[in-house]
Amino acid sequence: MIVFRILETKNKMKHKFSSLLLGFMCFSGTIVKSQDTTAKILKDTDHEKMVWFKEAKLGIFIHWGLYAVDGISESWSFYNEYLSHEDYLKQLSGFTAANFKPKEWAKLIKDSGAKYSVITSKHHDGFALWNTNYGHLNAVSHAAAKKDVLSPLIDALKEKELKVGIYFSLPDWSSDLYTHFTTSKRRYAIEQDPQRWQQYLNYMNGQLLELKNNYTPDLWWFDGDWEHPPEAWESTKIRTSLLKGAPNTIINSRLTGQGDYQTPEIGVPVYRPEAKYWELCMTLNDSWGYQQTDNNYKTSQQVIDIFVDCISKGGNLLLDIGPKADGSIDPIQKERLLELGSWIRKHHKAVYETEKGIPYEHFYGPTTLSKDKQTLFLFVRDIPKDGKIVVKGISNTIHRAYVVGNGSILSQNKIAKLYWNKYPGISYIDLPKETIDTYYTVVALVLDGPIELYSELNGVL
Ligand code: H79
C-alpha cells in the first residue's frame, strides 16, 4: 500500500522512470546492490560541517501546506489532474493555522529524540509558508491564516536547540514563469523561451535568498530537480550563493550534483549504502501531508525497526509528520514520535554519536559502534528461544556485557576457542527475560580496545 499510493501518482507522469530520487531500489526481482548512481553527491564535502548531521540520527520532516485542507496528495493531486488547479487553490480558504502552536511542535520534535527538523517552506504547488515578496501564493497574502507560519516555527525550533532544515521545491507548478503546469500541460520549453526561464530563475533565487537571509538554515532540502538538468537550474550557482557567508550549511542531493549527502525516499536501503552521509526520508502512514482517509500508520515497532536499520547502516532517518490545516497534529502521529523518543532516550548511548555496526556474519542483527569503537551495541528485536544471543569472530576480549538503559550485567561463555590459533570462538550471552524491552533490547559489549573482527577466510587450518 505504502509505496503504491505514492508511486501511483508518479506513474501517471510521462517521464521515463529513473532511480534518481527514490534511491537504492531493486528492480525486476534481480538483486541489484545499491549503487552510487542514485544520488550524485559532491566528493569534496567538508567533513567538519557534517559532524552534527552524522551524529544526529533522527530528524523530523514536516509537510504542511494547502493539501492538508482537503487531505489530498501534496501538489501531485492537481499535477496529475485528479482535480483542477483552481479547485486545488480553493484550499487557501481552509488553511487557517488557527490552532498552530509552534512551541508545541518544537517540543514534540525534541521529545521524539530528533536533533533536527526539515519543514516544507514551499512544495511543488508553489504555496509559500513565509511572507515572500516574490509572488502572491503564500500563507500571508492569500490563505485564511493571513500570517507567516514559517518564522515562528523556525524560532521555536532554534529555541529548543534543534537544527533547522528548509525544504524547497525547485519546480513551482503554479508560477506562470515555470515550464510545467500539469502532467499534460507544459507552459513552454526552455529552449523556446530562455528569457522566461531566466525570469523564473530570478524569482526562485529571490525566494531562496529571502529564506537564507531570514532564517540562516543549517540544511537545505531540495526536491523536484528531476524536471530539468542541473545546467538549467544553474545548480552550481545556487550552491555557491547559499554557502556564501554560510559555508557550514548542508545541502541534500536533490540539487543535482551539488549535494553533501544522499537522499533515498521511502525505500529503506537493504544493503548498507556506500555513501558516507545519507538520510532516508519516510512517511508515518502512506502520505507526506495530512490525509484523514489514510490510516495505514506504521506501528511503533515498525517505526523503530526502520530507525534501527538506518542507524546501524550509518544513516539518518528523516521521519515525516503531516500537520492538519489548522496547525494541530494528529494524535497517532504524536504518539508515534513520543514512543520513538522514549525508546531513544532509554538507549541514547547506542544511538547518538555512534557509527555503523559490524557485518551480519558476526551477529545476526543490527549493531552500532561507539565512536572509539570499543563498545559494540547489539540490537535484539526478537527474544531468543534459549535466552542467549550469539556473537562470532570478535578477536577482542569482552570485558563486560550489559543491557543498555537497564544496567543488568550479563553473563557470557565462549565455545570453540583453541589456545593454538587466533580464531576467536563463539560467544553466548545470556539475556534474562526481565531485561527485555518492548521494541529492541540493546546489549552493550565493552571491549578491551577498538573492535577487531576476525576475517581469515579459511577458518582454522
Ligand atoms: O515531498 C514528498 C514528495 O511529494 C516528493 N518528495 C517527498 C519528500 C516527491 N515527489 N515525487 N518524488 C518525490 C519522486 C518522484 C519520482 C517520480 Fe519520476 C516522478 C517517478 C516518476 C515521476 C523521477 C522523475 C523519476 C521519473 C521521473
Side-chain angles (χ1 to χ4, degrees), residues 10 13 15-18 21-22 61 63 74 76 123-124 167 221 223 226 254 265 281 288:
K10 325 303 185 212
M13 303 227 354
H15 302 283
K16 268 186 153 180
F17 183 83
S18 100
L21 291 164
L22 299 180
F61 212 170
H63 272 71
E74 68 291 345
W76 293 96
H123 204 262
H124 314 322
Y167 170 106
W221 212 103
D223 205 2
W226 67 83
R254 297 187 190 178
E265 179 166 328
C281 59
W288 293 102

Side-chain angles (χ1 to χ4, degrees), residues 42 44 49 204-205 208-209 212-213 220 222 230 233-252 255-260:
L42 289 173
D44 56 352
K49 81 169 188 185
M204 183 190 85
N205 286 312
L208 282 172
L209 270 190
K212 180 188 173 197
N213 294 335
W220 290 99
F222 286 102
W233 293 120
E234 300 183 352
S235 56
T236 318
K237 251 166 118 179
I238 297 178
R239 182 180 170 97
T240 308
S241 138
L242 295 178
L243 264 56
K244 196 172 165 203
N248 292 331
T249 319
I250 295 173
I251 298 178
N252 78 329
L255 184 66
T256 331
Q258 298 301 315
D260 296 303

Side-chain angles (χ1 to χ4, degrees), residues 84-131:
S84 68
H85 184 243
E86 201 187 335
D87 284 342
Y88 184 89
L89 289 188
K90 284 185 183 153
Q91 294 177 105
L92 283 161
S93 62
F95 190 82
T96 64
N99 296 312
F100 173 44
K101 300 197 173 94
K103 288 190 178 185
E104 286 184 17
W105 286 25
K107 183 175 185 317
L108 174 67
I109 291 166
K110 189 84 179 181
D111 290 346
S112 75
K115 300 287 187 186
Y116 64 107
S117 186
V118 179
I119 166 96
T120 48
S121 68
K122 183 176 106 162
H123 204 262
H124 314 322
D125 60 11
F127 177 65
L129 293 186
W130 78 102
N131 191 11

Side-chain angles (χ1 to χ4, degrees), residues 286-305:
D286 297 335
S287 313
W288 293 102
Y290 179 67
Q291 296 198 27
Q292 56 268 42
T293 53
D294 180 356
N295 290 308
N296 195 28
Y297 281 98
K298 292 163 191 73
T299 62
S300 292
Q301 177 69 60
Q302 289 166 337
V303 170
I304 297 174
D305 283 343

